[in-house]
C-alpha cells in the first residue's frame, strides 16, 4: 500500500476522449476536484480511444507516457477522469509504481475532508466502505503473507475472508445508524408539515453558489467557499417572507455529473430532505459555459432520488459575472419560473423573496381549500 505524503501531493491527470464530449469542462472540473482534495496538478496526459483497454484502461503506450510525466515532474499520484475497475487500478499501480485513483475515489476523498456532522461522517464512511469492498486486496498490506516466507506463512486467504466479514459487519452497523437518523429526520419533517410551513430546498451543481445564496437570504453563516462540495451537511433555517409568513429553507449537498452511485445511496437520508420538499430552488452558475449540461446532471440525480416531480424555480446566480440585470420571469401559468440574481452582491435577492412569498401564499390557499373539503367528504361517507 502506498503512503500518502504529509504535505500536498503532486498529481498527474489523465483524461481520454472516449466520445463523451465537453472535454474542456470535464478537465477543468477534474482540476478543481484535485485542488479541493489538496493536491497540485503537475501535468495532464490526454488521448483518444474508441473504448477503454480492459487491462490498463489507457493502453500500454499511453501508460508509458504517464510514467514519463510522473518521472519528469516528480509526481506521486495519478488521477484518472474516469471510473476504473479494481483490476485496471491494480494493473496501473503495478505498471506505474505509484498510487492511482479514479474520479469516484477522488470525490469520496473530498467528501471525507468536508464531512463535519456525525451523520455526514457516517454517510461518507458507508460510501467509502462500499467502494473499498471491491478493492480489498489492494488496501490490506498483511495479505503479503500469501507469498510465504519466514514469518509470513499462514492462512492469507482466511485473513482476506475475515477482513470481508468485518467490513460487512461495519457496513450493516452504519446502515442501521443512518436508518435511525433517517427516521428522526422524517419525524421533524412531519412536524413541519403539521404546522403548514412551506419546505424549500436549495439544489444545484456543486459550486453554483447555493451556500452563498442561503447565507444571503437567512444570515445563517453557513460555510461557503469557492470549492467543490463545500457543503455536505444539510442546514435548515426559517425565512420570513412577509405576509405569507415563514418558509423553511434548507441548504443541501451539491450534485455533479456522473455522481458515484455509492454516494447517492449513502446520502439517501440527507437527500430525502430534497425529495420531500414542497419547492426546489435550482441554483445555476449562469457564468458557466457548461450550465446546460450541469442543469441536466442535477435533474438526473433529482430523478434518481425521487425528487424529479417536485416543483422548481430556476435561480440563475452570479449575474455579476455575466453583466445581466436582475429579473424574474413567469411561465405560461403566470407563476415565477426563473430568477436572475447575484448572491454575492445581493442584486435580485428581493425578487427571489417575492417568488418565495408567492409560492408560500399559493401553498396556504391550497392547504385551506383541502381543509374545507374534508368535512364535506366525511359527510358524504356518513
Amino acid at each position: 500500500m502506498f503512503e500518502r505524503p504529509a504535505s500536498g501531493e503532486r498529481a498527474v491527470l489523465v483524461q481520454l476522449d472516449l466520445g463523451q464530449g465537453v472535454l474542456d469542462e470535464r478537465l477543468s472540473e477534474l482540476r478543481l476536484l484535485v485542488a479541493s482534495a489538496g493536491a497540485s496538478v503537475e501535468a495532464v496526459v490526454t488521448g483518444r480511444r474508441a473504448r477503454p483497454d480492459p487491462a490498463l484502461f489507457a493502453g500500454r503506450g499511453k501508460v508509458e507516457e504517464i510514467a514519463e510525466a510522473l518521472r519528469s515532474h516528480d509526481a506521486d499520484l495519478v488521477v484518472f477522469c474516469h471510473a476504473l475497475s479494481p483490476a485496471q487500478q491494480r494493473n496501473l499501480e503495478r505498471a506505474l509504481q505509484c498510487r492511482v485513483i479514479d474520479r469516484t475515489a477522488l470525490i469520496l476523498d473530498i467528501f471525507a475532508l468536508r464531512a463535519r456532522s456525525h451523520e455526514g461522517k457516517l454517510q461518507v464512511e458507508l460510501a467509502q466502505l462500499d467502494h473499498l469492498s471491491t478493492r480489498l486486496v489492494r488496501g490490506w498490506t498483511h495479505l503479503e503473507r500469501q507469498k510465504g516466507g519466514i514469518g509470513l506463512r499462514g492462512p492469507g486467504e482466511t485473513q482476506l475472508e475475515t477482513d470481508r466479514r468485518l467490513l460487512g459487519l461495519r457496513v450493516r452497523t452504519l446502515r442501521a445508524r443512518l436508518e435511525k437518523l433517517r427516521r428522526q429526520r422524517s419525524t421533524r419533517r412531519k412536524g413541519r408539515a403539521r404546522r403548514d410551513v412551506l419546505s424549500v430546498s436549495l439544489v444545484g451543481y456543486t459550486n453554483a453558489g447555493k451556500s452563498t445564496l442561503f447565507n444571503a437570504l437567512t444570515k445563517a453563516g453557513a460555510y461557503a467557499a469557492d470549492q467543490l462540495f463545500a457543503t455536505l451537511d444539510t442546514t435548515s433555517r426559517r425565512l420570513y417572507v412577509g405576509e405569507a409568513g415563514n418558509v423553511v429553507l434548507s441548504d443541501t449537498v451539491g450534485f455533479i455529473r456522473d455522481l458515484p452511485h455509492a454516494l447517492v445511496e449513502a446520502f439517501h437520508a440527507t437527500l430525502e430532505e430534497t425529495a420531500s420538499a414542497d419547492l426546489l430552488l435550482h441554483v445555476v452558475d449562469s457564468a458557466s459555459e457548461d450550465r446546460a449540461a450541469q442543469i441536466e446532471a442535477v435533474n438526473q440525480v433529482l430523478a434518481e432520488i425521487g425528487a424529479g416531480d417536485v416543483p422548481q424555480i430556476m435561480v440563475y446566480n452570479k449575474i455579476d459575472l455575466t453583466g445581466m440585470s436582475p429579473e424574474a420571469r413567469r411561465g405560461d401559468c403566470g407563476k415565477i419560473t426563473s430568477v436572475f440574481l447575484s448572491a454575492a452582491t445581493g442584486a435580485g435577492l428581493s425578487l427571489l423573496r417575492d417568488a418565495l412569498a408567492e409560492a408560500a401564499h399559493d401553498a396556504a390557499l391550497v392547504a385551506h381549500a383541502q381543509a374545507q373539503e374534508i368535512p364535506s367528504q366525511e359527510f358524504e361517507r356518513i
Side-chain angles (χ1 to χ4, degrees), residues 196-199 278 357-370:
D196 295 328
V197 178
L198 188 74
S199 175
D278 301 309
E358 188 176 293
H361 177 71
D362 291 345
L365 289 178
V366 171
H368 179 72
Q370 290 174 342

Side-chain angles (χ1 to χ4, degrees), residues 145-156:
R145 72 178 65 194
Q146 293 181 55
K147 296 178 180 178
I150 297 173
L152 294 175
R153 297 184 182 95

Side-chain angles (χ1 to χ4, degrees), residues 44-343:
V44 177
V45 176
T46 60
R48 179 178 295 179
R49 289 185 65 90
R51 62 184 64 85
D53 179 78
L56 295 168
F57 193 90
R60 294 197 177 278
K62 190 59 65 175
V63 170
E64 291 175 4
E65 185 181 339
I66 297 169
E68 177 57 33
L70 281 166
R71 287 190 295 269
S72 61
H73 293 277
D74 193 26
D76 45 41
L77 175 68
V78 174
V79 183
F80 273 73
C81 188
H82 311 274
L84 300 174
S85 71
Q88 288 168 337
Q89 187 172 355
R90 288 195 295 270
N91 292 338
L92 284 165
E93 288 186 337
R94 290 193 189 105
L96 298 171
Q97 288 299 297
C98 76
R99 283 189 311 112
V100 176
I101 64 172
D102 62 6
R103 188 172 177 274
T104 298
L106 179 61
I107 293 174
L108 286 171
D109 190 68
I110 295 170
F111 270 54
L113 287 172
R114 298 280 189 269
R116 293 292 179 268
S117 71
H118 175 62
E119 183 178 13
K121 291 176 180 178
L122 290 179
Q123 291 174 132
V124 170
E125 184 182 354
L126 177 58
Q128 288 179 316
L129 290 179
D130 281 339
H131 186 67
L132 175 64
S133 63
T134 60
R135 293 162 165 79
L136 196 57
V137 174
R138 183 183 71 85
W140 292 67
T141 55
H142 58 244
L143 296 181
E144 289 295 314
R145 72 178 65 194
Q146 293 181 55
K147 296 178 180 178
I150 297 173
L152 294 175
R153 297 184 182 95
E157 194 62 28
T158 301
Q159 182 64 58
L160 175 59
E161 292 170 358
T162 300
D163 293 337
R164 284 180 174 149
R165 179 174 56 81
L166 293 174
L167 186 146
L169 287 172
R170 180 60 178 166
V171 166
R172 286 194 290 275
T173 299
L174 290 172
R175 291 191 190 280
R177 291 182 180 177
L178 287 171
E179 175 60 23
K180 181 178 179 181
L181 291 169
R182 187 196 67 79
R183 290 195 298 268
Q184 292 173 352
R185 193 185 291 274
S186 177
T187 300
R188 290 196 295 270
R189 283 198 301 267
K190 289 177 181 177
R192 290 201 299 264
R194 282 195 297 269
R195 294 192 294 271
D196 295 328
V197 178
L198 188 74
S199 175
V200 182
S201 282
L202 290 167
V203 300
Y205 209 76
T206 182
N207 208 32
K210 295 181 301 301
S211 295
T212 302
L213 178 60
F214 182 77
N215 289 335
L217 289 170
T218 65
K219 306 297 187 291
Y223 179 67
D226 186 17
Q227 299 171 328
L228 299 186
F229 303 114
T231 301
L232 287 191
D233 303 310
T234 299
T235 305
S236 298
R237 293 288 187 275
R238 283 183 175 271
L239 175 64
Y240 180 69
V241 290
E243 294 181 0
N246 290 310
V247 301
V248 173
L249 186 64
S250 298
D251 186 21
T252 60
V253 61
F255 301 149
I256 197 169
R257 63 166 60 90
D258 304 323
L259 188 67
H261 186 72
L263 279 176
V264 177
E265 283 293 308
F267 275 73
H268 202 268
T270 298
L271 295 174
E272 277 186 349
E273 193 78 22
T274 299
S276 63
D278 301 309
L279 176 67
L280 302 179
L281 297 183
H282 186 158
V283 184
V284 179
D285 179 356
S286 63
S288 171
E289 295 180 359
D290 197 32
R291 57 185 175 275
Q294 293 176 358
I295 292 171
E296 178 61 26
V298 171
N299 286 332
Q300 286 179 358
V301 178
L302 289 174
E304 187 174 351
I305 65 175
D309 295 330
V310 180
Q312 293 186 19
I313 293 178
M314 303 298 295
V315 180
Y316 292 90
N317 189 25
K318 305 185 184 181
I319 61 170
D320 53 306
L321 303 179
T322 65
M324 296 183 64
S325 299
E327 182 184 2
R329 296 179 182 175
R330 296 183 180 271
D332 296 336
C333 298
K335 294 184 178 181
I336 295 176
T337 57
S338 58
V339 178
F340 293 78
L341 55 76
S342 170

